[in-house]
Amino acid sequence: KIKWGDFEAELEKDIKKQVYSDGVGKEQSMHYHEFITELYLIAVMLGRRNGSHFSVDLNSRVEKMCEFIMYMTDEGLRPLNIGDSDDRDALKLNMLELFSNSAFILNAASVLFNTPGFKIDKNGFDEKSLWLLGHEGYERYSLLETAYKDKVLASKDFPEGGYYIMRHEGLFLHFDCGK
């Protein structure tokens, strides 16, 4: 019989195998990175709903995974095509095409980690976030400072994962120096 504590311990161990401390997935694939980020976010949601908050390290890595997605998407929140590709949605709950899976990840992360900087989708709170975070999640999202109005992402490095992003006046350049 599997207990929640066993599942929690496995996730804690697994994230260190899958993700560098700067939030970059070791697989070096953006679509796979989105997929595992979604899975970890859902685990964090379910854990919190059931009284488990995971370790500071796991929460920090998941938050940094979301930050990496934010920096590695274009203005339409589409991830860069790096590495192999698949459907990348663990749960297909957004029926409207205008929402990307990156939008869900950033919306959910803004609520879970109370981080207004992730609230950058001009389309608002997506259907998938509403299904998984409920009305309370929507209220918390609504109370967060709106970051996207004047949000301009700066240049950013993810040295352990080997990614360097340069942004300037709408231009976006990335360097992949990963292993």
Side-chain angles (χ1 to χ4, degrees):
K1 183 176 178 181
I2 298 175
K3 299 176 188 152
W4 178 259
D6 297 336
F7 175 70
E8 189 175 356
E10 191 63 34
L11 283 178
E12 296 278 353
K13 187 171 68 174
D14 189 56
I15 198 166
K16 291 175 183 169
K17 292 179 186 174
Q18 294 271 342
V19 181
Y20 293 113
S21 63
D22 62 3
V24 176
K26 293 180 180 181
E27 184 77 20
Q28 300 287 313
S29 163
M30 279 308 298
H31 296 289
Y32 182 71
H33 183 82
E34 269 200 342
F35 180 72
I36 64 170
T37 302
E38 180 181 356
L39 292 175
Y40 278 109
L41 276 173
I42 291 169
V44 169
M45 286 179 213
L46 292 174
R48 289 182 185 185
R49 198 171 286 159
N50 290 286
S52 178
H53 293 272
F54 294 103
S55 69
V56 171
D57 182 60
L58 184 134
N59 279 285
S60 175
R61 282 183 198 242
V62 173
E63 186 173 6
K64 288 176 182 176
M65 290 168 76
C66 297
E67 180 184 38
F68 181 66
I69 287 172
M70 181 175 69
Y71 276 93
M72 292 294 284
T73 55
D74 64 17
E75 290 181 1
L77 293 178
R78 291 176 300 267
L80 296 178
N81 286 318
I82 297 172
D84 58 351
S85 181
D86 56 29
D87 197 9
R88 82 180 181 275
D89 289 357
L91 287 174
K92 193 78 159 167
L93 296 176
N94 277 337
M95 298 302 136
L96 301 173
E97 287 300 318
L98 61 111
F99 286 105
S100 70
N101 207 42
S102 298
F104 156 71
I105 288 168
L106 296 175
N107 285 339
S110 70
V111 172
L112 289 173
F113 302 114
N114 197 32
T115 307
F118 289 143
K119 188 178 174 181
I120 63 171
D121 185 14
K122 294 175 177 76
N123 294 317
F125 202 66
D126 64 291
E127 184 179 5
K128 189 176 196 174
S129 295
L130 185 58
W131 278 109
L132 293 172
L133 295 167
H135 185 69
E136 179 186 334
Y138 174 74
E139 287 179 351
R140 289 179 56 205
Y141 177 86
S142 298
L143 293 173
L144 289 172
E145 171 190 330
T146 302
Y148 66 77
K149 284 185 179 176
D150 300 314
K151 181 77 170 187
V152 176
L153 291 175
S155 296
K156 174 83 174 148
D157 65 327
F158 295 89
E160 193 175 2
Y163 285 93
Y164 300 85
I165 295 99
M166 296 177 66
R167 293 181 182 264
H168 179 71
E169 296 179 6
L171 299 174
F172 174 29
L173 176 65
H174 87 281
F175 296 94
D176 177 355
C177 304
K179 299 174 187 173

